[in-house]
Amino acid sequence: MLSSLSAVYFAELSSPQVKAVRDGTRSPVLLLPVGAVEPHGSHSPVCTDRLIATGMCERAAARLAGDEHVRALVLPALSYGVARPGPVPSGAVPISPETLQGLVVDVCTALAGQGLPRIVVVNSHHEQAHLAALDRAADVVQRRCGQRLVRVDLDRPEGDARRYETSLLLAERPELVDTERIEASGTEGAALFEELTTMLVDVIRKLTCAEEDPA
Ligand SMILES: [Zn+2]
């Protein structure tokens, strides 16, 4: 039998289990991974950003699995993102800023409407137009639901973003990486994931603590 207590994926719960999460003693926090379908060099798949964002969310939810106060669940990812203007490179599947904004607003509004307003957008796609659409989505959600939409953007080090992302990918899905084409390491990636998970768990805890202590 499926235990709703240890599950980390929102969409794998049944409707009554979602209700139980909402009404439980642990504050529910929903994690929304946001990525993009775009080229990541000749060595990595075009869904790299989604894999990294989802990997962070899964690790954070798993780390909080036994937590007394917080219940973190991973929402189905938004796999598509907004691309920079110009010709669409081979393998890229961009969506418009309006579409991304609408998706985020609709998902968050639907959840807030059923008593699940604590949502963290975990984004690993860095494109100005994409980030701007996420900003606007947060404004609309705030106006409509009165809830601040928290966002975590995966910070990549200046200069070596490719190696950074590839290391994370090697820790997650090594079979998708052509390691002959880039120098990166899964061990390094696993350590990076640990750091990112700690950061995300921190954000999740602050979100629930802020409510418990309105001062
Ligand atoms: Zn990327």
Side-chain angles (χ1 to χ4, degrees), residues 14-191:
S14 65
S15 172
Q17 285 175 329
V18 170
K19 224 171 172 188
V21 165
R22 182 195 67 190
D23 299 335
T25 52
R26 298 159 72 189
S27 303
V29 176
L30 304 180
L31 310 174
L32 179 61
V34 178
V37 179
E38 66 161 21
H40 271 75
S42 54
H43 57 282
S44 293
V46 294
C47 67
T48 291
D49 287 343
R50 193 253 302 160
L51 289 174
I52 292 173
T54 303
M56 270 175 79
C57 293
E58 289 170 341
R59 284 168 175 78
R63 207 187 277 182
L64 288 164
D67 196 86
E68 272 180 78
H69 306 289
V70 186
R71 179 68 199 275
L73 288 167
V74 185
L75 291 164
L78 299 185
S79 302
Y80 298 91
V82 181
R84 83 180 51 158
V88 176
S90 177
V93 187
I95 56 174
S96 71
E98 294 74 22
T99 302
L100 177 66
Q101 181 184 333
L103 274 170
V104 173
V105 168
D106 286 354
V107 168
C108 295
T109 307
L111 291 165
Q114 52 189 286
L116 294 165
R118 290 182 217 88
I119 302 164
V120 181
V121 171
V122 179
N123 169 55
S124 71
H125 178 50
H126 281 255
E127 197 51 63
Q128 275 319 309
H130 179 88
L131 297 172
L134 292 176
D135 283 343
R136 285 195 299 277
D139 288 345
V140 177
V141 170
Q142 167 97 52
R143 275 204 307 278
R144 276 198 201 164
C145 312
Q147 182 73 23
R148 190 168 71 91
L149 183 59
V150 176
R151 188 170 94 224
V152 170
D153 291 306
L154 179 66
D155 256 335
R156 299 169 304 175
E158 286 290 319
D160 218 356
R162 235 345 73 111
R163 180 193 161 113
Y164 183 78
E165 284 188 319
T166 308
S167 296
L168 287 166
L169 199 58
L170 276 172
E172 192 68 7
R173 296 288 301 276
E175 77 281 12
L176 296 180
V177 184
D178 182 352
T179 43
E180 291 192 354
R181 287 174 175 269
I182 187 156
E183 212 183 297
S185 108
T187 317
E188 190 182 325

Side-chain angles (χ1 to χ4, degrees), residues 181-214:
R181 287 174 175 269
I182 187 156
E183 212 183 297
S185 108
T187 317
E188 190 182 325
L192 289 170
F193 258 128
E194 280 303 294
E195 282 173 33
L196 292 168
T197 304
T198 300
M199 187 261 291
L200 181 53
V201 164
D202 232 49
V203 169
I204 294 167
R205 284 195 193 284
K206 280 200 183 110
L207 185 63
T208 50
C209 290
E211 282 168 13
E212 278 157 24
D213 174 16

